[in-house]
Amino acid sequence: MNYHHVIHALRRKPMALLHLVYRDQLFPREAYRRTFDALLAERNARLASRCMVGLLALAHEWGCEAALAQHLKVLLEAGELQQLDVLREGFAPAPAEFPHVEVRLESLGIYDALMDRPRGGGMA
């Protein structure tokens, strides 16, 4: 089972992670499983599930699965668990790094002009 396939459903219902039969196979790396175990030991199940789904979403959205796993491993070895917001700041790109995209919409009248044009040559 690949977490990429179910991450959107888990984001809507994070507590589902707690009771998934295939939960251990869902985690992409051992560090994620160990992190979830540590979260469950330190926090209530609702907060632990929400945080873990947030970590999986972070790895999914920003393609940082391996780097995040390495960071989680270091945190676990140090006996620490950072807040999800802190991890997001470290792994998600800053909004200033996003490219600026300008979309200019043409007048809808241009489509009327295209439809009124006579068709030339090709198949109809």
Side-chain angles (χ1 to χ4, degrees):
M1 186 57 148
N2 190 322
Y3 76 99
H4 295 284
H5 299 165
V6 296
I7 191 64
H8 299 293
L10 286 174
R11 289 188 90 174
R12 285 190 302 273
K13 296 187 177 191
M15 279 295 289
L17 180 65
L18 189 63
H19 302 294
L20 281 177
V21 173
Y22 52 85
R23 181 181 66 216
D24 288 340
Q25 293 131 10
L26 186 72
F27 296 129
R29 298 169 191 263
E30 181 66 17
Y32 289 90
R33 187 196 58 75
R34 289 181 49 222
T35 298
F36 188 54
D37 292 342
L39 287 168
L40 285 172
E42 185 179 286
R43 303 174 184 171
N44 70 43
R46 184 170 182 258
L47 291 175
S49 297
R50 182 177 268 172
C51 184
M52 193 67 229
V53 169
L55 290 172
L56 290 171
L58 178 66
H60 169 76
E61 291 169 0
W62 300 112
C64 60
E65 180 183 301
L68 182 57
Q70 184 60 36
H71 187 73
L72 292 173
K73 183 179 176 184
V74 169
L75 290 174
L76 287 168
E77 289 171 357
E80 301 174 8
L81 287 175
Q82 287 183 341
Q83 296 295 322
L84 182 57
D85 293 340
V86 174
L87 292 169
R88 274 194 190 117
E89 288 175 13
F91 286 92
E97 295 176 18
F98 294 148
H100 175 72
V101 177
E102 184 177 330
V103 177
R104 292 184 315 164
L105 300 176
E106 295 295 330
S107 166
L108 294 177
I110 199 168
Y111 294 104
D112 292 335
L114 288 172
M115 295 302 290
D116 291 338
R117 251 188 188 170
R119 293 185 186 154
M123 297 174 66

